[in-house]
């Protein structure tokens, strides 16, 4: 039964991502805004639902020390595996706006989070409110910029066939529900299968669960890239990483201050190093080669071995 539910979970993930991307792309056409904007906002927030659910639920019960490791692990996986997998499967061009505005912003807020954590090994309620406030400002800036630079109205034959607003919203909502439910089925049943083979809870938590909450980003970005929506794929990853830090950690710490283990600060530094290197490698050509992307996945595998044995 576990194997059947695992397969059902993967099916829901893939089909949910398919409909989610299609609905999001349609919304971008209807609003006449670049798909990268939808990727940075609607798609990023939708695929971060598992991280939000885990962290906020933990915060409400006062057990939110898992929130930091959940976000850090998810962000590293998003950057190294999601982007790496997309680029290894097909050429991955990166929008200049992401490289100039959003990617550097994700690096800056990672540095801010390191400073917050390293100061007293805690993210206070005030820190959380500051992070949420920064997110609001960031979203306002993105939306206002998109509205100022809306694309001209073109015929469907030129822009691509659009669905009605109602159908597009149904696709988005239905897609994200399928993604979240599918992700839960995959994580829960993968854990049961791993336990049946005698793997420890610690190893399962560091690998399957951490990767499982990032499955929505992985599947959605790969589907988007295969549909030719590279901007949405990259926007999803960067937007999700920004959303995880500013909203997921921000709301969690605003509900209940988060104690941070020193090892989490080290992991944040690793995230910062990875982010800076990938940003510099992609800056000149506005793309990442297949070799670099394969190297990113290998680097993540090495990191996984490191966290398993440390």
């Amino acid at each position: 039964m576990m194997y059947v539910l695992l397969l059902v979970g993967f099916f829901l993930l893939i089909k949910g991502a398919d409909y989610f991307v299609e609905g999001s792309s349609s919304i971008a056409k209807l609003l006449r805004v670049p798909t990268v904007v939808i990727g940075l906002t609607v798609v990023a927030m939708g695929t971060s639902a598992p991280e939000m659910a885990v962290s906020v639920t933990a915060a409400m019960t006062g057990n939110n020390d898992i929130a930091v490791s959940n976000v850090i692990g998810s962000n590293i996986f998003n950057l190294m595996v999601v982007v790496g997998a997309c680029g290894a499967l097909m050429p991955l061009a990166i929008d200049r706006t992401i490289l100039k505005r959003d990617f550097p912003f994700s690096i800056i807020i990672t540095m801010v989070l390191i400073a917050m954590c390293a100061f007293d090994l805690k993210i206070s309620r005030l820190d959380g409110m500051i992070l949420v406030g920064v997110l609001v400002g960031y979203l306002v800036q993105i939306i206002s910029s998109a509205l100022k630079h809306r694309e001209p109205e073109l015929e469907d034959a030129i822009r691509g066939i659009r669905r009605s607003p109602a159908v597009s919203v149904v696709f988005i909502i239905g897609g994200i529900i399928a993604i979240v439910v599918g992700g839960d089925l995959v994580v829960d049943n993968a854990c049961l299968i791993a336990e049946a083979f005698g793997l420890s809870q610690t190893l399962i938590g560091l690998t399957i669960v951490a990767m499982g909450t990032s499955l929505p980003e992985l599947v959605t970005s790969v589907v988007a890239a295969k549909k030719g929506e590279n901007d949405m794929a990259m926007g999803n990853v960067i937007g999700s990483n920004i959303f995880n830090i500013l909203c997921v950690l921000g709301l969690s710490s605003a509900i209940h201050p988060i104690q941070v283990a020193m090892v989490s600060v080290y992991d944040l530094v690793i995230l910062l190093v990875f982010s800076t290197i990938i940003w510099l490698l992609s800056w000149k050509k506005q793309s990442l080669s297949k070799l670099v992307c394969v190297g990113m996945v290998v680097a993540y595998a090495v990191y996984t071995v490191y966290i398993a044995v440390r």
Side-chain angles (χ1 to χ4, degrees), residues 156-185:
D156 286 351
I158 299 175
R159 289 186 59 80
I161 296 175
R162 299 173 295 185
R163 298 183 181 276
S164 69
V167 172
S168 299
V169 170
V170 169
F171 271 40
I172 290 174
I173 295 175
I176 194 60
I177 290 174
I179 287 170
V180 173
V181 172
D184 285 342
L185 285 173

Side-chain angles (χ1 to χ4, degrees), residues 198-225:
L199 298 182
S200 69
Q201 284 289 338
T202 301
L203 185 57
I204 293 170
L206 286 170
T207 54
I208 297 172
V209 175
M211 296 174 191
T213 56
S214 289
L215 278 176
E217 285 90 345
L218 175 60
V219 179
T220 301
S221 290
V222 170
V223 170

Side-chain angles (χ1 to χ4, degrees), residues 51-52 54-60 64 67-68 71 123-125 128 132 244 246-258:
E51 288 90 343
M52 175 65 77
V54 169
S55 296
V56 172
T57 299
M60 291 177 69
N64 59 353
V68 175
V71 165
I123 306 176
S124 67
R125 282 195 173 94
V132 174
N244 283 345
L246 297 181
C247 189
V248 175
L249 276 185
L251 284 179
S252 298
S253 55
I255 293 170
H256 191 285
I258 300 174

